[in-house]
Amino acid sequence: MTTLDWRYKGLPLDLGEIELADIGKQGWNVLRGDLPTPVMVLLRDPLADNIAALAAWCDERGLLLAPHGKSTMAPQIFERQ
């Protein structure tokens, strides 16, 4: 399990510790101001579509994708790429 706290970007500063798997259960709303700014929102389906499109583009050209881990700052996205 991965435990997060206030030291992680985009989480409330008054947050204690929380498991990564429990983030979605918090009911936080970016538009309501529940999270500190700046904050980025990713939509699951468009992200999956973009990853698939880039993989197909690379495949068609015989290229290997070498994503830059620091660009996303999210190991989960890096692994999916």
Side-chain angles (χ1 to χ4, degrees):
M1 295 227 109
T2 301
T3 303
L4 307 175
D5 61 24
W6 62 270
R7 293 173 289 190
Y8 285 78
K9 291 182 181 180
L11 295 179
L13 297 177
D14 60 352
L15 180 68
E17 290 187 347
I18 188 170
E19 293 298 325
L20 178 60
D22 295 330
I23 292 288
K25 301 173 188 172
Q26 302 309 303
W28 293 326
N29 184 308
V30 173
L31 299 178
R32 194 172 51 222
D34 295 341
L35 301 171
T37 57
V39 64
M40 182 174 76
V41 176
L42 296 175
L43 301 175
R44 183 176 295 136
D45 291 342
L47 176 62
D49 292 345
N50 287 347
I51 290 172
L54 185 54
W57 187 89
C58 288
D59 257 359
E60 291 167 6
R61 290 157 179 79
L63 303 172
L64 296 175
L65 179 62
H68 188 281
K70 191 174 178 186
S71 296
T72 63
M73 300 290 285
Q76 298 87 349
I77 295 174
F78 183 78
E79 287 175 21
R80 289 178 65 184
Q81 291 175 317

